[in-house]
Amino acid sequence: PQDKDAWHNLGLILMSRGILDKAILCFEEVYRRAPEDNFAVTQLAKLLFQKHKLSDCLTYCNILLQRGHEQLLAVSLKVRVLNLITGYEQALKFIQPYIDNNRSNDALWVVIAEIHEFRGNSNAAISALQKAKHILDQGNEKANADNLQFVNLKLMNLITQNN
């Protein structure tokens, strides 16, 4: 195709069909034609993480963070990538300023719990999930119902495994 919108659409169709490698090529083409296109950068970060192309994913996460676009997604993906590439301490060091400035963001606490759990630190994972649960308990019940259900289930599983 000749324009970026057609590449966008083709990438989305391929993604929906699970043809991720070709979807990546489509969004790379969008990015080549329109480097300012945040939608393409976002899709590339997500797809590259799914395909375990971690250093490439990190590149697109950094672009999103520099642009201030989809920051929660970019932080969540980047901390997971750092945990895998550079290790636990680097991942926690990276996410700490985001936690310090967004203490009431339940999603960040869930990501921290995932990092702790991945590294076998169940107590820290449980503590982070309890913080997420507390935040969700304070919020709008309807808006938080799915997140709260996920956090409660995850907490129950971790506590059961820990005993």
Side-chain angles (χ1 to χ4, degrees), residues 58 75 77-98 111-112 115-116 119:
L58 195 57
V75 167
L77 288 175
K78 183 172 179 174
V79 75
R80 289 175 175 110
V81 169
L82 289 174
N83 189 41
L84 295 169
I85 292 177
T86 62
Y88 186 55
E89 295 301 322
Q90 276 301 111
L92 293 176
K93 184 178 176 183
F94 165 74
I95 201 167
Q96 192 59 54
Y98 292 95
V111 171
I112 287 179
I115 299 304
H116 288 309
R119 294 297 177 166

Side-chain angles (χ1 to χ4, degrees), residues 128-142:
L129 286 171
Q130 287 170 332
K131 289 176 183 169
K133 181 181 177 355
H134 177 74
I135 293 165
L136 290 166
D137 284 340
Q138 305 301 313
N140 178 333
E141 274 187 44
K142 284 186 179 181

Side-chain angles (χ1 to χ4, degrees), residues 97-136:
Y98 292 95
I99 286 291
D100 291 344
N101 292 316
N102 300 285
R103 289 222 167 268
S104 62
N105 188 318
D106 62 283
L108 288 174
W109 289 108
V110 170
V111 171
I112 287 179
E114 179 185 313
I115 299 304
H116 288 309
E117 182 183 10
F118 181 81
R119 294 297 177 166
N121 191 342
S122 297
N123 290 333
I126 289 168
S127 177
L129 286 171
Q130 287 170 332
K131 289 176 183 169
K133 181 181 177 355
H134 177 74
I135 293 165
L136 290 166

Side-chain angles (χ1 to χ4, degrees), residues 1 28 30 52 54 78 107 115 130 137 147 150 159 163:
E28 285 174 338
V30 173
H52 302 284
L54 301 179
K78 183 172 179 174
I115 299 304
Q130 287 170 332
D137 284 340
N147 292 348
F150 171 81
I159 290 170
N163 287 333

